[in-house]
Amino acid sequence: MEEQKRSLMGIFTVLLLLISISSFQLLRASDNPDDVDDAIFYESFDEDFEGRWTVSNKDDYNGVWKHAKSEGHDDYGLLVSEKARKYAIVKELKEPVTLKDETVVLQFETRHQSGLECGGAYLKYLRPQEAGWTPKEFDNESPYSIMFGPDRCGATNKVHFIVKHKNPKSGKYVEHHLKNPPYVPSDKLTHVYTAILKPKNELRVLIDGEVKKKANFLSVDDFEPPLIPPKTIPDPDDRKPEDWDERAKIPDPDAVKPDDWDEDAPMEILDEEAEKPEGWLDDEPGEIDDPEATKPEDWDDEEDGEWEAPKIDNPKCDSAPGCGEWKRPMKKNPAYKGKWHAPLIDNPAYKGIWKPRDIPNPDYFELEKPDFEPIAAIGIEIWTMQDGILFDNILIANDGNVAASYRETTWKPKFNIEKKNQKEEDSDGGSGFLADLQTKVFELLYKIADIPFLSDYRIKIHDLIQKGEKQPNLTIGVLVSVVVVFLTIFFKLIFGGKKKPARVEKPSPAPKESKANQSGEENDENKEKEETSASAPRRRIRRD
C-alpha cells in the first residue's frame, strides 16, 4: 500500500512538473507584453489597436486601418482594408532599443490575403522623435534606423533590409540597401519575417524560420552603397590628353587597292548556262479566274464597278515545271568583290581606354562597427495597390531563440492550417502537383534573374515571371523564354563581346597584318537583291 502511494505521489509530481513546464512555455509566448519578460516589445493585435497605435493625420494617408481576423482563423491582426491608398500608423516604444553591442531580433508576420502584385508590407523602425518627427505627422520622410519587410511591384520583388547610417565625416544619414535580398513568397499564406542583428556586424534574414540571407554590415559585397567608402576614387579633375588614342585597330595606311578590284561588279548576273525546263507551259498563266465563282446578287455595277471573278492558282501548272514566260535565273557573280576597304592593323599609337587616375578618397573613414541610431518606435508607412494585407505578431527581442519560440506558437499553427487547406483545394482541382511545380519554377527563375551578368535584363525577366504567376498555364512557356534570354546573353558574352583593353602608358608598335581585305562581310550590307514576281496581284471581289 505504501509503495502504491509513493508511486502515485511520483506520478503526481511528474504531472505537476510537466504542467509547470508547459505553463512556462505558454507564458513565454503570451500575447500580453506585460507577461513576456523575454521580449523587448510584442504586439499581437488581439485587442483593438485604437488608443495604442497612432494613425497619421497627414492628408495623403487616407487608407483605413481595421482590426480584423485573418481569413480562416480567429486570430486578429492589423488589416489594410482598401486598394490604391497610402497608409501610415506608428507605435512608440516605452524605451528606445539600442543597436550597438547586443543581438537584436526584429520579427513580424504578414499575410497577403488578396495576393501581392503591387504593394509593400514592410515595417520602419524609427529613430527617437528628437530626429524630427511626431506620431500624428508620421510619413515617408520620418527618419528611421531600419526598414525591413516585403515589397513587390513591377520589377521590384524583394524583402527589403535598409539601414540609415550616419557618415562620421559628413554627418549625413545615408541609406544602405542589402544587396540581393530574398524574394517575396507569391502565395496568400501567412509568412513570418525575421532579421537578426548580431555582434561582429553580422546580419541574418529569415523567412518562415529559414535563413535566406547572410551578410556583414561592413562588407562591400553586402550593402549598396557600402557603409565604409572606398579608399580611392577617380580623380574628378583628371582630363584625357588630347593626343590619347583609344583606337585599338586602324586602317592600314600603306594598303593599296589591287588593280583587278572592280567595285562596280554586280552581286548577281544572269545564268547564261541555264536552259528552260522541258515541259514548261509558256502559254499558260500562273493564275486563272475561279470557274466556280459567281457574281453576287447584290452587286451593283454602277456603285461597285465591273465585277471580276477572283483568281486561283492554275491547276495545269501543278504538274508542270512552270507556267508563263520563262526567264533566265540569276546566279552569284564570281567577279563580285564589293567596295574595297583597307585592312585593319594594330594601332601603333594605341594607349588603351582612358580613365582618370585614382586618388585617395577624402571622404574615406575606417569603421569597426556601425553606429546605428536606436529604435524608438515601430511604424508602417506604405503605398499599396492591394487590399487584404494583414500584419500580426510584431516582436523585438534580444535572443533568436525567443523569436523561434514565437514562430512555433503564433505563426506555425496558422501556416500549417493554411497550407493544409491550400493542398486540399489544389487536390480538389487536380492541380496540387502543378502548383508545387510552378512554385519551384518561379523560385528558380528569380534566382536566375539575380545572376550578376543578367542585371541589365532583370526587368525583362521579372516581367516574364510575373506573367507566369498571373497565368499559371504559361509557366513552361515563361521558363523556356527565360532560358532563351539566358542562353542568348551567355553566347553573346562568350562569342560576341569585346574585351576592353587595359590602360597602356608606353605601347610598343605591333607588326602589320596582311593587306588582304578584311571587310568582305560588310560588302553584302551595301547591296540588295531585286525580287521579281511573275504573277499579278489578286483582284478584289468588291470595292469597299
Side-chain angles (χ1 to χ4, degrees):
M1 191 69 177
E2 290 296 327
E3 291 181 0
Q4 290 178 348
K5 287 183 179 180
R6 283 195 295 271
S7 297
L8 289 174
M9 287 295 294
I11 293 172
F12 182 70
T13 303
V14 171
L15 288 174
L16 283 177
L17 181 61
L18 291 174
I19 292 172
S20 300
I21 293 173
S22 300
S23 300
F24 176 73
Q25 290 177 340
L26 289 173
L27 180 62
R28 290 185 61 180
S30 170
D31 287 343
N32 187 345
D34 296 332
D35 295 337
V36 184
D37 295 331
D38 296 331
I40 299 174
F41 171 83
Y42 178 60
E43 172 62 82
S44 67
F45 293 107
D46 281 355
E47 298 178 359
D48 198 337
F49 64 87
E50 291 187 6
R52 299 185 301 108
W53 288 67
T54 303
V55 177
S56 175
N57 61 8
K58 284 292 198 69
D59 293 338
D60 288 347
Y61 297 90
N62 54 4
V64 178
W65 295 98
K66 288 188 177 180
H67 182 240
K69 290 183 179 180
S70 179
E71 291 181 2
H73 304 289
D74 289 330
D75 185 40
Y76 281 88
L78 181 64
L79 179 68
V80 170
S81 65
E82 297 176 295
K83 298 179 180 180
R85 292 284 189 274
K86 287 185 177 182
Y87 292 80
I89 191 170
V90 67
K91 169 68 176 179
E92 297 179 74
L93 304 182
K94 292 181 178 179
E95 297 290 338
V97 178
T98 60
L99 301 172
K100 293 186 178 181
D101 301 321
E102 298 180 342
T103 294
V104 175
V105 184
L106 311 175
Q107 181 169 285
F108 69 99
E109 298 172 15
T110 184
R111 183 182 185 188
H112 308 138
Q113 298 178 147
S114 302
L116 185 62
E117 295 180 3
C118 189
Y122 42 80
L123 268 58
K124 290 184 175 180
Y125 298 86
L126 301 164
R127 291 159 52 192
Q129 292 185 42
E130 290 78 7
W133 70 279
T134 61
K136 282 291 185 180
E137 299 292 313
F138 173 50
D139 60 11
N140 64 322
E141 297 296 330
S142 299
Y144 62 86
S145 290
I146 293 175
M147 185 175 118
F148 172 54
D151 187 17
R152 185 174 185 179
C153 192
T156 299
N157 184 342
K158 64 180 71 176
V159 177
H160 286 290
F161 187 90
I162 305 172
V163 294
K164 277 196 173 182
H165 184 256
K166 186 177 181 180
N167 184 305
K169 279 204 166 184
S170 67
K172 296 180 180 180
Y173 287 87
V174 180
E175 284 188 1
H176 302 274
H177 295 245
L178 179 65
K179 287 184 179 179
N180 302 318
Y183 288 107
V184 181
S186 58
D187 53 46
K188 300 179 181 180
L189 308 180
T190 301
H191 294 281
V192 57
Y193 298 89
T194 310
I196 304 177
L197 291 72
K198 306 178 70 175
K200 297 183 180 180
N201 305 318
E202 296 179 5
L203 171 68
R204 299 287 185 272
V205 176
L206 295 75
I207 301 178
D208 298 343
E210 180 182 350
V211 176
K212 295 292 186 179
K213 180 71 176 181
K214 296 181 180 180
N216 186 294
F217 285 111
L218 302 187
S219 171
V220 296
D221 298 324
D222 291 335
F223 282 87
E224 179 61 37
L227 273 73
I228 301 178
K231 287 186 177 182
T232 62
I233 60 171
D235 184 355
D237 298 324
D238 196 10
R239 297 292 181 268
K240 182 171 69 173
E242 293 182 0
D243 62 346
W244 191 279
D245 197 336
E246 295 183 329
R247 299 173 299 163
K249 298 280 187 179
I250 60 171
D252 185 352
D254 298 327
V256 179
K257 183 175 70 172
D259 293 337
D260 61 347
W261 192 286
D262 184 1
E263 293 184 332
D264 298 324
M267 186 185 298
E268 290 185 332
I269 59 174
L270 287 173
D271 186 357
E272 299 293 346
E273 298 178 356
E275 297 181 356
K276 182 171 65 174
E278 186 177 351
W280 188 280
L281 304 178
D282 297 273
D283 299 329
E284 289 291 338
E287 290 185 335
I288 61 172
D289 291 342
D290 185 354
E292 298 181 1
T294 59
K295 181 179 179 180
E297 294 181 0
D298 61 346
W299 187 276
D300 188 331
D301 290 337
E302 292 184 359
E303 180 181 345
D304 301 323
E306 182 182 354
W307 181 83
E308 295 177 351
K311 297 291 187 179
I312 62 171
D313 292 335
N314 189 345
K316 294 181 180 181
C317 298
D318 292 340
S319 57
C323 292
E325 180 186 359
W326 180 80
K327 293 182 179 181
R328 196 175 300 280
M330 304 292 286
K331 70 174 184 179
K332 187 175 180 179
N333 183 4
Y336 171 74
K337 293 185 178 181
K339 186 72 176 176
W340 182 84
H341 297 277
L344 297 177
I345 62 171
D346 288 336
N347 181 6
Y350 174 65
K351 293 185 177 181
I353 303 300
W354 184 87
K355 62 177 182 179
R357 63 177 177 269
D358 287 337
I359 61 172
N361 184 0
D363 296 325
Y364 173 75
F365 57 84
E366 294 184 355
L367 195 67
E368 292 185 3
K369 60 182 178 179
D371 186 19
F372 295 135
E373 297 290 332
I375 296 171
I378 298 175
I380 306 174
E381 185 273 318
I382 56 176
W383 184 7
T384 177
M385 302 304 292
Q386 310 292 139
D387 59 357
I389 301 175
L390 190 82
F391 295 88
D392 200 4
N393 296 315
I394 301 174
L395 170 73
I396 300 178
N398 284 131
D399 188 348
N401 292 327
V402 175
S405 175
Y406 274 78
R407 290 195 298 270
E408 286 294 319
T409 55
T410 65
W411 165 76
K412 197 167 187 177
K414 289 188 293 186
F415 180 80
N416 288 339
I417 292 173
E418 293 163 8
K419 193 73 173 175
K420 180 181 177 182
N421 292 339
Q422 185 187 59
K423 286 184 177 180
E424 290 176 354
E425 291 176 4
D426 292 339
S427 298
D428 292 340
S431 59
F433 172 76
L434 181 60
D436 290 340
L437 174 63
Q438 288 164 351
T439 299
K440 293 179 180 178
V441 167
F442 293 137
E443 289 177 355
L444 173 62
L445 295 180
Y446 279 122
K447 289 180 180 179
I448 291 175
D450 253 351
I451 298 176
F453 75 80
L454 293 177
S455 59
D456 292 340
Y457 303 86
R458 187 166 296 162
I459 294 178
K460 183 176 181 180
I461 296 175
H462 278 214
D463 288 342
L464 289 171
I465 297 171
Q466 288 169 12
K467 287 179 181 177
E469 289 179 323
K470 293 176 184 177
Q471 304 180 53
N473 58 311
L474 299 179
T475 299
I476 301 302
V478 170
L479 178 60
V480 172
S481 299
V482 173
V483 170
V484 169
V485 171
F486 176 84
L487 292 177
T488 301
I489 300 168
F490 178 77
F491 284 115
K492 183 184 291 186
L493 290 173
I494 297 298
F495 300 108
K498 293 183 179 179
K499 294 183 179 179
K500 290 186 176 181
R503 179 173 180 171
V504 180
E505 295 295 342
K506 295 182 179 180
S508 57
K512 295 184 180 181
E513 294 181 350
S514 170
K515 296 182 181 181
N517 192 316
Q518 299 179 4
S519 57
E521 294 179 359
E522 298 177 359
N523 298 328
D524 295 342
E525 298 176 2
N526 300 324
K527 301 289 184 178
E528 294 184 357
K529 182 178 179 180
E530 289 189 4
E531 296 180 358
T532 59
S533 175
S535 59
R538 286 184 190 273
R539 299 173 187 166
R540 296 171 58 188
I541 296 177
R542 179 173 181 157
R543 280 189 283 162
D544 295 332

